[in-house]
Amino acid sequence: MIEKLALIQPEIVLFITTCVVMVIGLSRTYSVRKACATVSGVGIAIAGVLAIFTPQTDSALLPGLIPYAKTLVAGVGLLLLLLLSGVIDRDLELRVTRGEAFEPARANRGEFYSFFLFSLTGVMLCATADDLIWLFLALELASLPTYVMVAISTPRLRSQEAAVKYFFLGAFGAATFLYGFALIYGATGTTYLSEIRDIIGTDGLGAIGTAGFALALLGIAFKIAAVPMHFYTPDVYEGAATPVAAYLAFAPKAAGFLAFLLLTSTIGWTWGANGDALPDAIRVILWIMAALTMTIGNVLALLQTSVKRMLAYSSVAHSGYMLVGIVVGPGDGSFWQNGLSAMLFYLLCYGFMNMGAFAVLACVERMTGPDGEPIELETLDDIRGLCHTHPVMGWSMVLSALSLLGLPPLLGFMGKLLLVTAGLSGGEYLLVVVLLLNSAVAAFYYLRIVAGAMFEAPDARAGDGVLTTHRGRMIAAVASAASVVVLLPFVGPLVRASQRAVALQPTTAIVTMSEEVSDASPLVRVDDDVTQDR
Amino acid sequence: MLEAISPMLTLAAADAGAQEGLRASLLVLVFPLLASIACGLCAVFGVKSKLPAWITVGALAASFVVTLMIWGQAGHNTFIAHGYEWITLAWGDGPGQQLVANLSLYIDSLTLLWMLFVTGLATLIALYASEYMSHDVGPGYCRFFAYFSLFVFSMACLVMGDNLLLLYLGWEGVGLCSYLLIGYFYTKPSAVAAAKKAFIVNRIGDLGLALGIFSVFVTFGTVEFAPLFEMLREGVDGAGAPLAGSWQATWIPVFFMIGAFGKSAQFPLYVWLPDAMEGPTPVSALIHAATMVTAGVYLIARMMPLYLLDGTHFALALVAWGGGITALLAATIGMAQFDIKRIMAYSTVSQLGFMFAGLGVLTSAGAAFHVFTHAFFKATLFLCCGAVMHGFAGQLDLRKLSGVGFMKGWGIVGIAMFIGCLNLAGFPFTAGYFSKDMILAQTFATPGYAMLGWVLLLTAGITAYYTFRVFFRVFVGPKLYEPGDEHHGDDNHSHDHDHAHEDFHPHPPGWAINSVLALLAVLSIAAAATYFINKPDHGWVGSMVHNSTADVTSPHEGTFLGMDPHKAMYYVSAIVGFIGIAIAFMLHYVGRRTSEKANADKLLPAVGPVATWAQGKWYIDELYDAVIRQPLLVLSHVFHIVDKLLVDGLVNLFGRLPTMTARALRPSQNGVLQSYAAGMAAGLVFVLLVVWALL
């Protein structure tokens, strides 16, 4: 057991930081309270560095996934932290500066940052999970704090309504996948993922096992906002403060996709005619889920006039794209055939470019709230002519939107390219056609954003649109938008890292259990290929 | 630069096939390219002086000097000057599975021959243009010289490239520059139309060249000249199988011929060249007379081993007759035109026909020699016409100009024109006489082409007639002139007079134009002297060709009415030339001082409608319009309607589909928690159904 602690060092660091933040958030001294963000940042940075040096392990199903996912989460987490600056306790601090006494009981700062860190911890724990119970707890740790974050992100009623919806529907999803987990346990008699895999390898999946995995994947689909669990997305994103929406669009999704990776790896891609596919029932469910998610997400985004809702639907659509990678599976492990590494790489691209778009929205505000409180800009009209009024923000938005659209040679294109090549080499031609048609549909609304920001005259009201005073948000916006260009030269190394991340655990553990499986498994070859690549 | 070349001297000593070396020759490409960029920058920075002209003249002169030095170093050896790796694609190790096209130069005597007159003439004509284009100083001036330098760069790529891909790059490059320069006066609709016509007609030829290059790669597995010629020497394809009698041996040369006919304005693709005279005259002289239009001749000469592969010489027969027909057709049109630049354009088409006939009847030396001499005398003729046009406000109608050669300050123009005309007419002991003779004689010497010989002989007579028609009309006789419509300087005064041109004073050419004309006239004469260097090889040009891949063995079997054609032709062509000049003298000089009309005009009614038809260019343009353009136009309208109704309709339908779907799905996002949960539950049921169905 003790060697497992070495694997979760980053989580431990984050947990300690959480405790510190929870305490100092209550301080009566403004500068100490203020330090919450800094302390969190330091904690995340340390966790990220530790994640890189995670020791190799045999007990995890996908050992390479642990450092990759945790480093990614820490990196994007830092940007999110910057973006979250100034979200919480805005009016409270305003009243304190007017001379009112600080009441710790009414302050939310400590909770907000600690929930943020808890949620990140949950995402990281998902990557480490080697057990169904652990996976369930990790997923819920990633999600539960976000319900609260949505509720307290703005003082408006809308946020609370969103949080309630999010909570109830989230409970529905959690119940679904927990029931699935229970069925898997019932079918195999164990909760350890590698043991489950070995038992499935020898005894087959069975009706109960299939139903269990189907329900588990469906329940987790809530986290990634895939059809049919996507309904909450626009309402919740719209209700939450924009930085929190950006967080929702990344962290729970990352957790969900990590869980998807683990669960599908547990089933193994050895069920198709060529020994390179999931069992029919699971594959069909995922296939339909992917196709519907892309289509419904994009199609509903078309009608939106609120950029925030548009981005919410677009995040649904991007989940659909990533599901294509899961449907295809690892192929022969080479980078253009490996759907899993393509999916992981796309998650990375999506993390940056999606945050760029949300961050720009969070940066531009209008000071005409009824109670003098700044309101976020969120309609298409609000960002008209942004390139002229606020060039840096405008161009950040344009870059992010074009990358989301998948315009060559930006990062989004690279990600989509790999998904497409993986889909084609996996024989999923129809799904690839659906993906490409969806890209065309998506171009319509992304280009509306781009054209509005670049070519149209600023809205008459935009005159009072001002940049936020929070420098952190602007840094987050510019950094995310820049990364869609800056990361381009590093696409090769990043893709190779993604490949290593999805390589299955070394074969020794399997050989002892069942030799036939290890021989038949294409995943063994994956590992070899990756070794050669290095 | 000498230091750069000297190590290659040792290489040159070793006589082998193609050897690496002479990298300094890359400078021939670099100078014009840099000049083009510099002129472009001048345009950006708004230079309003003659700076671009001097940059261009300097760079082109440097290129010429480098070419001269390479010529001195290379001797008759073949070199490959490696620049850098340009395209390397490999999809296997087998033959034909690699495509290598480097930016390297293939330097042999043929290359050098072409580059010497291209860079030399380009330098002189750039100098001429510095004065000729002076009314346009400013952005237009920069633009002109940027295109001009770019043309020389492209031409160098075409001629010097060591592979067909680089040749194609140059081929398209010169086509582009030609298009840009014909359309230089882009506010003039006729210039724009001419530019488009030139570009489109050239595309048809380019298709042939592209097909040829594709077939070469498919057949030989390479587009590089050195290995290609190696295989052609053996007569085998890339896999080592003999090629004689295969479809490739017959058709690849035909493909290249189509390309050559497009670029060199041969029947039926010649129609663009006369219209190309809409460009500034220096452009007509350099691109559309001396250099670019000879690219087709170069292509066939360069690929000569490919043409000899087929024992029946099918493609060569096409080349010969294509050239012969073009020569006669263009000459007859030239007889009836009134615009002196257009006459020169048709004479260029006609002379190019001679060159192709020469290639076809297996005297590549004669063809190359005619290219060489023609480059000088035709440039001279064009530049003289340009000087007249420049001095008389765009007047080019030979009915409205007379006695120009005797006006004050026009002496050099008159003399240069006279020398050019003598050359074109093939007057004895001029360069044009020797080069045309070589081709004429060979048509009779090669069995089966006697008929072509008579056609060309007739053409030679017509050529002499129309050439001196221009000379006797415009440059001698009573001094009369009517300025052209580009004269705006004295508008305020001219309104008071009945004859606007009474206030007009033709301005004679300045030093740049005069010195270039004088030099070119001298060079036109000097070109004749090269015929006596290396006489057994048919002159210096012959020896250059002889030492390249264009070398062919000319047959000596046929006779001219029982005589040795090579000896007889000296006299026959001289007599034919005299007859042509004499007729021109009788019809266009005699009696012009005493009568309003020239004798020729009195004769017109006698020949009936033929003259009108010739003046109408035999209505070939109209024929193309009716047979090709109109049907295409109708077809395009049909497709336009199909596109509008069917394709656009489908696209719009698909465009609406997502929005319609969205409207249908929108109610599902009603914000009500219960209905969301119901939706998720429905999904759950669906998933379980799938599991149940597929187990």
Side-chain angles (χ1 to χ4, degrees), chain B residues 176-443:
Chain B
L176 171 72
C177 294
S178 158
Y179 164 80
L180 291 171
L181 286 166
I182 296 170
Y184 175 77
F185 299 112
Y186 56 82
T187 51
K188 205 170 138 195
S190 62
V192 174
K196 281 195 287 193
K197 187 173 177 184
F199 200 74
I200 292 167
V201 175
N202 263 300
R203 303 307 310 161
I204 301 170
D206 294 349
L207 175 69
L209 178 63
L211 283 177
I213 295 174
F214 297 154
S215 324
V216 162
F217 182 71
V218 168
T219 311
F220 298 97
T222 181
V223 291
E224 288 178 297
F225 286 139
L228 181 63
F229 290 139
E230 205 65 45
M231 283 180 239
L232 285 172
R233 204 168 298 142
E234 312 274 328
V236 295
D237 67 8
L243 271 174
S246 61
W247 69 266
Q248 287 104 327
T250 311
W251 289 103
I252 298 179
V254 175
F255 292 149
F256 280 119
M257 182 198 79
I258 295 170
F261 275 19
K263 190 63 79 193
S264 294
Q266 294 298 291
F267 182 80
L269 301 176
Y270 73 94
V271 288
W272 65 271
L273 186 58
D275 289 14
M277 298 304 133
E278 292 287 347
T281 307
V283 170
S284 309
L286 180 69
I287 302 186
H288 303 122
T291 56
M292 183 188 87
V293 287
T294 67
V297 181
Y298 171 80
L299 179 70
I300 292 183
R302 171 53 78 212
M303 303 311 286
M304 194 46 101
L306 202 59
Y307 282 81
L308 299 176
L309 210 54
D310 178 18
T312 60
H313 290 184
F314 170 67
L316 282 177
L318 285 182
V319 170
W321 278 104
I325 291 168
T326 314
L328 182 62
L329 187 73
T332 52
I333 299 172
M335 272 199 321
Q337 300 299 309
F338 295 106
D339 180 319
I340 54 175
K341 243 180 112 179
R342 242 163 218 273
I343 295 172
M344 290 307 149
Y346 279 106
S347 93
T348 304
V349 175
S350 175
Q351 297 304 306
L352 286 164
F354 268 91
M355 298 167 201
F356 279 100
L359 288 170
V361 299
L362 293 172
T363 170
S364 48
F369 190 33
H370 201 50
V371 168
F372 185 72
T373 58
H374 176 258
F376 289 105
F377 69 70
K378 187 53 66 63
T380 314
L381 287 169
F382 263 114
L383 294 184
C384 288
C385 294
V388 171
M389 189 183 175
H390 193 61
F392 290 89
Q395 184 56 270
L396 284 170
D397 194 326
L398 56 75
R399 291 167 295 192
K400 294 176 180 168
L401 292 167
S402 178
V404 171
F406 293 105
M407 290 180 193
K408 194 167 178 292
W410 290 86
I412 291 177
V413 176
I415 294 167
M417 185 74 187
F418 184 58
I419 291 170
C421 286
L422 287 180
N423 270 294
L424 180 55
F427 194 81
F429 309 114
T430 56
Y433 167 74
F434 289 120
S435 56
K436 202 184 281 178
D437 268 10
M438 272 175 80
I439 295 171
L440 278 173
Q442 193 59 46
T443 48

Side-chain angles (χ1 to χ4, degrees), chain A residues 165 215 218 231 235 299 302 313, chain B residues 658 662 669 671 676 680 684 695:
Chain A
K165 277 186 200 167
L215 287 182
L218 183 73
F231 293 100
D235 292 9
V299 159
L302 286 182
Y313 282 118
Chain B
Q669 295 288 343
Y676 286 1
M680 287 162 68
L684 184 74
L695 264 179

Side-chain angles (χ1 to χ4, degrees), chain B residues 584-608:
Chain B
F585 183 74
M586 296 302 292
L587 294 183
H588 294 284
Y589 185 73
V590 173
R592 226 155 36 90
R593 283 179 198 279
T594 52
S595 152
E596 270 292 298
K597 290 167 106 184
N599 289 340
D601 299 336
K602 295 172 193 158
L603 269 180
L604 271 185
V607 290

